[in-house]
Amino acid sequence: MTSINNEMVDLRSDTLTKPTQAMREAMAAAEVGDDVFGEDPTVNELERRAADLLGKEAGLFVPSGTMANLLAFLAQSRPSDTLILNEEAHPFNYEGGNVAMVGGLLTRTISGSLGMMSADEIRPFVKRSSDHHFSQTTIVSIENTTNRGGGNMYSVEAIAEIRALADEYGMRLHCDGARLFNAVVASGISAADYVRDVDTACFCFTKGLGAPAGSILTGTHDVMEEAHRFRKLLGGGMRQAGILAAAGLHALDHHVDRLTDDHRRVQQFREALEFVPEISFPMATPTNIVYLDVPDAEIFQSETAAGGVRLLATGPGRFRAVFHLDVDDAGLEKAIDVCKRAAGRCGKG
Ligand SMILES: *Cc1c(COP(=O)(O)O)cnc(C)c1O
């Protein structure tokens, strides 16, 4: 795989990957059945495999990460309860307000660093009381890796402390692990160890894993049974979904270890731009996402685009670059060159 120099290098998101030829072949060859009847062998295999990988009793294949998070909340809370999550969290920022509309939940957002929260930061906001004035805080959601937090990762110890707090107050704990496997390969911590202390955990096949659709939610049989009911209710029951599940199985076999390549390229990208005076890096970059700040966002965006490199504008003067399956070393070199030249045109900040 070499990218010729006039090909666009698209760093806006790791969701932009196209299925490889081998993945398409695995999809075409998938054995399928009607999954609403529970009869799609490939979906069943993927759910079993994902649950085993995460050390949970059961898994549920869903169309998107958005649905996985929503089902985790619906299955483990009641309308009028409060959900605690970081103010940068995906379900708060990018899921259309579904927790309010569909879940009937209040959200209590917390401003922990890099998209994460500590047990001590959460504690003051927990309300569990027989006083009928209060909405009951029944669920906490953490994100690993953090999307708006620069792809940063929790320690297992920090998650264990949140677990202890959740137990103290009888709260459920969910992990939005859209990029869980980026955390796994970067830390060397197994997926099962990483989610040991949460009740439910999901991950996306569509990010670094490179599949065209689908996420998995995992947890106990009871909670997954409830989530399954809500999946149908929301229109997420898919029929011969084994075509998609086959892409997920292929991704688990072939696209997990290679995430280290994305992490290496992010480091090379950052190191090459670290001394460019117009560019600064607001956050640590341990996985595949890097944020950069520039003095003139408009010029930077138009100059990079003209050079054939796309970045995502995420805030005033702030851009995100995400490395993924469809960016090779030639793409990396091109991204570095184009960003350097574009920064030079931005003037001093
Ligand atoms: C992408 C993402 C999701 C879910 O996204 P979908 O587009 O609905 O699959 C959830 N959480 C995080 C942190 C994400 O990055």
Side-chain angles (χ1 to χ4, degrees):
M1 277 207 303
T2 53
S3 61
I4 46 171
N5 226 27
N6 55 9
E7 218 171 90
M8 180 68 75
V9 177
D10 203 335
L11 301 175
R12 288 173 301 162
S13 175
D14 46 6
T15 56
L16 292 157
T17 55
K18 310 251 172 73
T20 61
Q21 190 55 34
M23 181 178 277
R24 288 168 192 260
E25 282 162 20
M27 295 172 75
E31 246 190 88
V32 296
D34 188 333
D35 182 52
V36 174
F37 284 79
E39 293 174 6
D40 189 303
T42 310
V43 171
N44 293 341
E45 184 187 341
L46 181 66
E47 291 180 343
R48 185 69 263 145
R49 175 129 176 236
D52 289 346
L53 254 178
L54 270 55
K56 300 296 182 203
E57 288 175 11
L60 185 67
F61 188 50
V62 294
S64 66
T66 297
M67 188 179 283
N69 286 331
L70 181 61
L71 296 184
F73 303 147
L74 289 172
Q76 300 181 99
S77 67
R78 293 193 310 184
S80 85
D81 287 352
T82 295
L83 160 70
I84 285 183
L85 71 185
N86 187 283
E87 66 187 0
E88 303 286 6
H90 199 278
F92 185 70
N93 289 282
Y94 300 125
E95 298 182 10
N98 62 6
V99 299
M101 179 176 166
V102 187
L105 297 171
L106 281 183
T107 46
R108 168 59 81 177
T109 55
I110 291 183
S111 54
S113 71
L114 297 171
M116 295 181 283
M117 309 177 285
S118 69
D120 287 342
E121 286 165 335
I122 296 168
R123 181 181 289 281
F125 298 100
V126 176
K127 288 217 161 63
R128 290 294 261 166
S129 161
S130 55
D131 183 329
H132 295 169
H133 284 89
F134 299 120
S135 163
Q136 300 295 305
T137 311
T138 54
I139 185 160
V140 176
S141 181
I142 60 173
E143 195 167 299
N144 200 22
T145 68
T146 56
N147 181 332
R148 286 176 61 88
N152 275 276
M153 307 176 285
Y154 276 87
S155 67
V156 280
E157 293 75 20
I159 299 173
E161 285 173 18
I162 300 173
R163 172 78 265 162
L165 180 71
D167 287 343
E168 194 181 322
Y169 288 100
M171 300 185 292
R172 293 299 178 94
L173 180 55
H174 171 64
C175 176
D176 174 358
R179 294 184 182 79
L180 180 66
F181 285 97
N182 291 93
V184 166
V185 304
S187 67
I189 298 164
S190 74
D193 283 344
Y194 238 144
V195 302
R196 185 192 59 215
D197 286 328
V198 303
D199 297 293
T200 48
C202 59
F203 67 86
C204 291
F205 293 106
T206 54
K207 305 282 164 79
L209 297 184
S215 289
I216 278 272
L217 178 66
T218 65
T220 62
H221 285 299
D222 286 352
V223 172
M224 286 307 101
E225 185 54 34
E226 198 60 10
H228 201 149
R229 198 169 70 78
F230 283 115
R231 185 185 73 175
K232 189 76 186 83
L233 176 156
L234 292 168
M238 298 183 287
R239 301 293 179 175
Q240 285 71 32
I243 302 267
L244 296 172
L249 286 166
H250 181 86
L252 289 176
D253 285 333
H254 301 285
H255 294 170
V256 173
D257 293 342
R258 65 150 305 284
L259 292 171
T260 55
D261 296 338
D262 299 337
H263 298 176
R264 167 182 61 79
R265 290 191 182 106
V266 155
Q267 287 311 317
Q268 289 176 260
F269 179 77
R270 181 170 172 147
E271 279 160 22
L273 298 176
E274 203 108 52
F275 300 103
V276 175
E278 296 84 5
I279 297 179
S280 58
F281 294 91
M283 299 170 214
T285 304
T287 56
N288 70 327
I289 302 174
V290 61
Y291 284 87
L292 34 149
D293 289 343
V294 296
D296 192 325
E298 246 169 70
I299 292 179
F300 190 73
Q301 183 139 44
S302 62
E303 289 291 326
T304 47
V309 173
R310 301 186 79 176
L311 303 163
L312 191 72
T314 62
R318 180 160 296 179
F319 290 90
R320 182 179 86 165
V322 187
F323 284 75
H324 53 73
L325 190 57
D326 290 354
V327 182
D328 58 13
D329 286 326
L332 166 69
E333 292 308 323
K334 177 170 170 173
I336 290 169
D337 281 355
V338 167
C339 287
K340 268 189 191 160
R341 266 187 284 124
R345 304 233 165 93
C346 286
K348 305 276 185 278

